[in-house]
Amino acid sequence: MTSTDSAQKAPAKDPWDLPDVSGYVVGVLGGTGPQGKGLAYRLARAGQKVIIGSRAAERARAAADELGHGIEGADNAETARRSDIVIVAVPWEGHGDTLKSLRGELAGKLVVDCVNPLGFDKKGAYALKPEEGSAAEQAAALLPDSRVAAAFHHLSAVLLQDPEIEQIDTDVMVLGEERADVETVQALAGRIPGMRGVFAGRLRNAHQVESLVANLISVNRRYKAHAGLRVTDV
């Protein structure tokens, strides 16, 4: 190998060299539901500026007052406009309509979808497969002017909202098309004590990540637990 070859080959980037995201404003659509409220609480408790959104601004403000830690509440449109990163934590049934209505406000934003398309019957939870392939891919199709990633699917709302729990020992699978966006979301997950964001592929792989929640629900019911995930050897 010549010295020229050596100079041209840049050293591999450390995958754990993640950006500082502490200055970003994070909006949580569906922030009055259990998952959204829990994520908002954990991020704000870690020092992140958080706005929670709801269809009704009064409901969002009431939830924000309840959570404290400087969290603000607003309607979904204002939340999207004022945020740098927007987490989508709305019920699956309203996912498409919510995102369609906010296409303009979400343009240019990093949108993090954590919605799990699930059905329930007497046998328990089971995964649904959206026409686009996954909730995250549906978001990407509906928001052509946004950058869409997927993360925060496997977190227990009970643990997230429990103020007595100091840290949540779990990994967050992060999927996306652009490395910079994925690393931003990984870093955001890492703001929560005990949590780690791990790259898990592109959005075309989001379906199985979303679907795994059905298995975790079965685990939790059988063992009366709040199961999460850990990725080994990484």
Side-chain angles (χ1 to χ4, degrees):
M1 181 184 289
T2 67
S3 58
T4 304
D5 292 332
S6 301
Q8 289 175 341
K9 189 174 268 188
K13 185 179 185 300
D14 180 355
W16 297 112
D17 180 14
L18 301 174
D20 177 8
V21 297
S22 59
Y24 288 125
V25 177
V26 178
V28 183
L29 304 181
T32 59
Q35 192 80 356
K37 190 184 284 189
L39 276 170
Y41 172 69
R42 285 291 156 179
L43 289 169
R45 181 168 157 170
Q48 206 76 34
K49 175 59 186 171
V50 177
I51 307 170
I52 59 175
S54 176
R55 284 175 297 177
E58 307 80 40
R59 192 172 168 215
R61 283 193 285 268
D65 290 343
E66 176 192 337
L67 293 172
H69 295 279
I71 297 172
E72 292 184 50
D75 63 34
N76 282 331
E78 182 183 343
T79 298
R81 278 194 301 270
R82 292 178 55 197
S83 302
D84 302 303
I85 302 170
V86 179
I87 297 173
V88 181
V90 299
W92 166 241
E93 295 73 22
H95 182 263
D97 288 342
T98 298
L99 295 184
K100 276 183 205 170
S101 71
L102 297 171
R103 182 176 293 170
E105 289 84 357
L106 291 171
K109 309 282 184 178
L110 173 54
V111 177
V112 185
D113 203 296
C114 71
V115 174
N116 303 302
L118 298 176
F120 295 87
D121 60 19
K122 62 183 180 181
K123 294 182 179 180
Y126 60 94
L128 304 175
K129 187 151 190 182
E131 184 180 338
E132 298 85 354
S134 64
E137 288 169 295
Q138 183 183 87
L142 292 173
L143 303 172
D145 298 319
S146 305
R147 290 140 36 228
V148 176
F152 302 115
H153 302 90
H154 306 134
L155 305 180
S156 162
V158 173
L159 297 184
L160 288 172
Q161 293 186 76
D162 188 341
E164 299 300 314
I165 293 175
E166 294 295 327
Q167 65 178 49
I168 299 175
D169 294 317
T170 192
D171 285 334
V172 172
M173 310 285 270
V174 183
L175 303 98
E177 299 302 317
E178 298 296 333
R179 181 163 184 160
D181 292 336
V182 168
E183 290 180 345
T184 294
V185 180
Q186 286 181 264
L188 190 64
R191 296 273 286 157
I192 300 173
M195 209 171 283
R196 184 178 67 155
V198 178
F199 171 63
R202 294 179 180 261
L203 289 185
R204 68 182 184 181
N205 293 320
H207 172 64
Q208 55 265 40
V209 173
E210 296 170 0
S211 300
L212 189 58
V213 174
N215 303 89
L216 290 176
I217 289 171
S218 297
V219 170
N220 290 336
R221 286 183 173 172
R222 173 63 60 89
Y223 299 102
K224 295 181 173 47
H226 303 292
L229 295 180
R230 272 294 190 205
V231 180
T232 62
D233 198 34
V234 174

